[in-house]
Amino acid sequence: MYYCAIKECDIADGIGVRVSLFVSGCRNRCEGCFQPETWNFCYGEEFTEETKEHIFELLKPSYIRGLTVLGGEPFEPENQKDLLPFLREYKERFPNKDLWLFTGYRYDDELTVAGVHPNCEYTSDILDLIDVMVDGRFELSLKNLCLKYRGSSNQRIIDMKNTRRISSGEVILWDEQQASK
């Protein structure tokens, strides 16, 4: 897996001060994408053990609320293979910090449907680790600069812990007011 950037103090991609990892590789190729260079799976630098340890070091201060993973596309199967062990270790090392993930794929239409790209052998385990997920492709015609944590109005902010807990398949949207308590 390759990545194009690591933001050490990100306040735009989730609640609080965060460390953000931008992975490379994306098949969605949304019109108006703000970083189309990340469509290339080999753009940037290779994600190594040193990269992982650097991110974990950045996450140590108490003012860091959590980790955000975005891209490119974290849920491309090629990225999932490397993200799963990294995210598992993150949750083990930092159990009191949260995990946000941004994806162009829809949770209930693509990520949880067997046989549909990008659902693969790693997908369910990654979904279980995420606290908040922003899903849906960026739609240029629905672009709205006033939206928090989203670029277009079709994208959803999902409370993954509650969504995964219920068995009905219902998507529970994230409530910022509830999260602040």
Side-chain angles (χ1 to χ4, degrees):
M1 178 177 78
Y2 281 74
Y3 69 97
C4 67
I6 297 169
K7 288 189 179 178
E8 298 181 19
C9 287
D10 187 0
I11 58 168
D13 297 311
I15 201 165
V17 180
R18 318 188 61 73
V19 174
S20 293
L21 170 65
F22 291 77
V23 300
S24 295
C26 182
R27 291 182 178 89
N28 288 321
R29 300 176 181 250
C30 301
E31 179 185 359
C33 175
F34 75 99
Q35 49 189 24
E37 63 276 5
T38 66
W39 298 349
N40 181 335
F41 281 85
C42 295
Y43 179 75
E45 299 180 46
E46 190 170 356
F47 189 88
T48 64
E49 184 71 21
E50 291 76 24
T51 309
K52 178 188 79 169
E53 290 303 325
H54 174 66
I55 291 171
F56 288 158
E57 198 60 36
L58 294 172
L59 287 159
K60 285 182 177 178
S62 61
Y63 63 85
I64 299 293
R65 169 95 182 231
L67 174 68
T68 298
V69 180
L70 56 170
E73 176 54 64
F75 273 109
E76 293 295 357
E78 299 90 328
N79 290 335
Q80 290 184 55
K81 179 182 177 189
D82 293 320
L83 279 175
L84 180 56
F86 167 64
L87 296 177
R88 277 185 176 147
E89 188 171 349
Y90 163 70
K91 285 297 208 172
E92 289 169 9
R93 286 195 190 193
F94 302 97
N96 297 319
K97 295 183 188 269
D98 62 12
L99 173 61
W100 281 54
L101 189 139
F102 287 68
T103 178
Y105 296 111
R106 288 193 40 101
Y107 173 75
D108 42 353
D109 300 334
E110 295 165 298
L111 294 174
T112 58
V113 179
V116 173
H117 181 86
N119 189 323
C120 68
E121 66 263 35
Y122 312 107
T123 308
S124 185
D125 289 337
I126 292 174
L127 290 169
D128 286 339
L129 296 169
I130 301 167
D131 295 293
V132 178
M133 182 169 73
V134 178
D135 82 338
R137 288 165 182 78
F138 172 73
E139 296 286 340
L140 188 57
S141 65
L142 299 174
K143 180 178 179 178
N144 183 340
L145 297 177
C146 296
L147 294 172
K148 217 172 193 183
Y149 312 123
R150 301 175 290 156
S152 58
S153 60
N154 63 298
Q155 295 171 314
R156 303 178 295 182
I157 305 174
I158 301 172
D159 177 336
M160 289 298 292
K161 293 301 176 196
N162 284 323
T163 296
R164 298 291 281 175
R165 185 178 14 241
I166 60 173
S167 59
S168 68
E170 178 186 357
V171 171
I172 307 297
L173 297 181
W174 179 72
D175 180 351
E176 184 173 7
Q177 303 306 321
Q178 201 62 20
S180 301
K181 293 180 182 177

